[in-house]
Amino acid sequence: MGSEKIETVELGTGGPRVGVQGLGCMGMSFAYGPTDADEARATLERALELGVTLYDTADVYGMGENEKFLAPFLKEHRDEVVLATKFALSYDPDNPAQRVIRNDRAYIRQSVEASLRRLGVDAIDLYYMHRRDAQVPIEESVGAMAELVAEGKVKHLGLSEVTGSELRAAQAVHPIAALQSEWSLFSRDVEDGVVAAAAELGVGFVPYSPLGRGFLTGSFVSADKELTEDDFRRQQPRFTGDNATANAALLEPVREVAKAHGATPGQVALAWLQQQADARGPAVVPIPGTRKRSRIEENTAATRIALSKEDLALLEPIAGQVVGERYADMTHTSAGRE
């Protein structure tokens, strides 16, 4: 069992020490259609056995239900787990399609208290601002978050989908342990600015959707034809219609590299991301999401795959050929403000 365990890394200068791969918990109760709660709970346990210690959730996932789902697991394993959750993003109850983003001090304080209550913990290890409200100075928001650290309610601060300049402004107020944004073989816009800023400032990088929301594994080709009506991916332009067909053809080099390593396409995608730490500087801790023990075992095994220069050259052109944006509305992403 010990040889299966993944290695650890410091997530940002002075940040928490975590397994080099984390676990995105969102899909266990939100966004990706029906779930088996018992298997999801068993997946949490198996991940910990394999050395996964960074568990990622948010208050918006299932309107608090994902945090509640994690609470019993956290109660049993609190000292073994680095818990990350987020604030800032919610949905208008009168119009569920309308997102609401708030970064003001009053909302931050209200949000942290609610998350602490749902999670059943005294402190959150890593507290992220989930999305940026450009109407509120980032210095003001991070200042309010810093108060939570001083009060012992939060241990480390994180930001999600911010630009390089926004990260620098935040770091000037309080140390930022981690920057979380989408980054994968299909989504590389963060490399234009914020990855370099993270490396310069000693901020760890936590890529979400490192498997392209499952697309890079080949688990589906067309979201609108294969996934259930309540699956979030049906709303993402690159996974539907002609875009999905064109993007599926881009996976051939991933399959080619996977075959050469006796690996799966998903493992190649994760191995590629892990190696970006050596190439670009910051600690990189992807958080692939899954609800199955078999996938956790597959994903963590990817940390032991070393891609060659030839492999990397085959994979390099993929992102530049992807058709369709990662969100229908890119306004609240770092790419939308760079």
Side-chain angles (χ1 to χ4, degrees), residues 2-336:
S3 63
E4 293 181 298
K5 278 201 169 188
I6 61 176
E7 296 180 359
T8 63
V9 67
E10 186 179 64
L11 187 59
T13 304
R17 192 154 196 92
V18 298
V20 293
Q21 186 182 110
L23 176 61
C25 300
M26 179 179 78
M28 292 180 174
S29 53
F30 177 68
Y32 291 155
T35 188
D36 179 336
D38 290 339
E39 177 62 17
R41 290 187 187 95
T43 299
L44 296 173
E45 297 284 351
R46 183 61 176 140
L48 194 57
E49 290 174 357
L50 293 169
V52 174
T53 56
L54 178 63
Y55 287 69
D56 184 272
T57 183
D59 59 3
V60 72
Y61 299 161
M63 299 299 192
E65 290 304 311
N66 198 241
E67 290 182 327
K68 291 178 183 177
F69 176 80
L70 288 175
F73 172 77
L74 294 169
K75 184 176 182 180
E76 187 174 350
H77 299 288
R78 188 64 192 98
D79 293 339
E80 303 167 80
V81 167
V82 174
L83 167 65
T85 193
K86 315 177 194 74
F87 74 90
L89 181 59
S90 63
Y91 291 90
D92 184 340
D94 298 324
N95 179 13
Q98 181 64 45
R99 298 201 305 178
V100 179
I101 297 175
R102 287 184 61 182
N103 293 171
D104 58 280
R105 182 179 182 276
Y107 185 77
I108 292 170
R109 299 197 72 85
Q110 168 191 323
S111 297
V112 76
E113 294 296 345
S115 285
L116 288 167
R117 189 164 55 249
R118 285 189 294 263
L119 291 160
V121 298
D122 296 324
I124 294 163
D125 299 311
L126 177 58
Y127 199 43
Y128 287 104
M129 187 172 78
H130 204 164
R131 289 293 185 272
R132 170 102 166 87
D133 176 2
Q135 302 306 310
V136 180
I138 197 164
E139 295 88 350
E140 182 179 316
S141 302
V142 175
M145 294 168 72
E147 292 175 9
L148 304 180
V149 177
E151 294 167 16
K153 294 174 181 177
V154 169
K155 296 181 182 178
H156 302 281
L157 302 185
L159 301 171
S160 179
E161 291 285 1
V162 298
T163 66
S165 60
E166 289 166 347
L167 179 59
R168 289 187 180 93
Q171 182 80 356
V173 176
H174 188 278
I176 303 299
L179 186 286
Q180 182 177 140
S181 284
E182 185 166 356
W183 191 12
S184 74
L185 280 171
F186 261 40
S187 299
R188 298 180 59 179
D189 52 76
V190 292
E191 294 173 14
D192 295 336
V194 71
V195 171
E200 169 196 324
L201 298 170
V203 176
F205 207 102
V206 178
Y208 72 80
S209 298
L211 296 173
R213 302 190 185 276
F215 195 84
L216 285 164
T217 71
S219 62
F220 73 99
V221 173
S222 178
D224 44 356
K225 294 178 181 177
E226 299 174 53
L227 304 180
T228 57
E229 289 287 343
D230 58 349
D231 196 300
F232 170 70
R233 291 167 289 187
R234 291 170 64 98
Q235 303 170 28
Q236 296 186 292
R238 61 179 50 169
F239 301 141
T240 58
D242 292 340
N243 288 354
T245 303
N247 291 335
L250 301 178
L251 297 178
E252 186 51 40
V254 184
R255 287 191 285 267
E256 184 179 335
V257 173
K259 184 177 180 181
H261 285 269
T264 66
Q267 287 176 321
V268 168
L270 290 171
W272 177 86
L273 253 183
Q274 300 278 185
Q275 287 184 221
Q276 298 306 304
D278 295 329
R280 299 180 183 276
V284 176
V285 181
I287 48 169
T290 186
R291 303 175 283 194
K292 297 179 180 179
R293 283 168 285 181
S294 60
R295 290 296 190 192
I296 278 288
E297 291 162 0
E298 176 184 334
N299 291 346
T300 54
T303 66
R304 297 185 285 277
I305 295 173
L307 301 178
S308 68
K309 289 182 180 179
E310 291 74 20
D311 295 332
L312 296 172
L314 272 176
L315 301 172
E316 181 63 27
I318 293 174
Q321 301 172 56
V322 172
V323 182
E325 296 285 7
R326 49 194 178 97
Y327 292 102
D329 178 4
M330 290 286 285
T331 307
H332 298 296
T333 66
S334 59

